[in-house]
Amino acid sequence: MSRSADDRNHDQRDDRTVEHERVRETHHEVSPDAGKTSAAATFALIFGLSALLCALTLFLSPFAVLFGLIALVLGVVGMKMAKRPLVTGKTLAISGLIMGVLGLLLGIGLLAGLGLFLNNDTNVERIENQLQQFRDQLPTELPSAP
């Protein structure tokens, strides 16, 4: 039996495809559809960064604790999801986890320090005196418009 020219061309293309795949595997090329980044890992990074930024301000430190806890949970979930085939994002999850823990610790430290500061009667009296001085400096009447 004789094979047609189309069958031989088809076999040659298959051989080239197999060879190309083998070369790609040895050179560690990544195809565009090789994997998707875990959404949990991405959100862990976002919440971790938010926790760290909130911890750097005194007034937003309660949010730093909240965002830090969320980043902690999402970071662990993102690391577990990154172990699945075709899912990436382990580095994002670890980064979010680290920033979330730092933000959480800084936020708790600031809240604890603020609580200790405000539980001291001398500090509270000093703040009340300064507020009274500011109130005394306020004008009693608004200037009239010409």
Side-chain angles (χ1 to χ4, degrees):
M1 283 193 192
S2 132
R3 294 178 58 182
S4 69
D6 288 338
D7 288 340
R8 283 186 295 239
N9 286 340
H10 182 69
D11 288 342
Q12 287 175 351
R13 273 187 264 129
D14 287 342
D15 291 341
R16 283 182 286 186
T17 304
V18 169
E19 180 66 22
H20 180 68
E21 290 296 321
R22 192 168 47 84
V23 168
R24 283 180 61 206
E25 288 174 3
T26 59
H27 290 298
H28 303 291
E29 290 182 14
V30 178
S31 65
D33 59 342
K36 301 291 181 191
T37 303
S38 167
T42 304
F43 282 115
L45 182 67
I46 291 169
F47 278 105
L49 184 61
S50 299
L52 197 56
L53 290 176
C54 287
L56 296 176
T57 66
L58 181 64
F59 298 110
L60 296 177
S61 58
F63 291 111
V65 173
L66 175 68
F67 292 157
L69 289 173
I70 293 171
L72 187 70
V73 171
L74 288 174
V76 171
V77 170
M79 284 176 45
K80 286 185 180 181
M81 289 182 74
K83 291 180 182 177
R84 294 181 180 175
L86 299 178
V87 178
T88 62
K90 183 177 180 182
T91 306
L92 289 176
I94 291 171
S95 301
L97 194 64
I98 291 170
M99 285 192 278
V101 168
L102 287 174
L104 179 67
L105 293 176
L106 285 172
I108 289 173
L110 284 172
L111 288 175
L114 183 63
L116 288 174
F117 180 79
L118 292 178
N119 280 331
N120 188 342
D121 290 335
T122 307
N123 291 334
V124 173
E125 287 178 22
R126 193 170 11 149
I127 292 172
E128 288 175 349
N129 289 338
Q130 287 179 351
L131 285 174
Q132 188 58 41
Q133 288 176 359
F134 286 136
R135 286 187 197 124
D136 293 342
Q137 291 176 358
L138 289 174
T140 55
E141 293 181 20
L142 293 176
S144 60

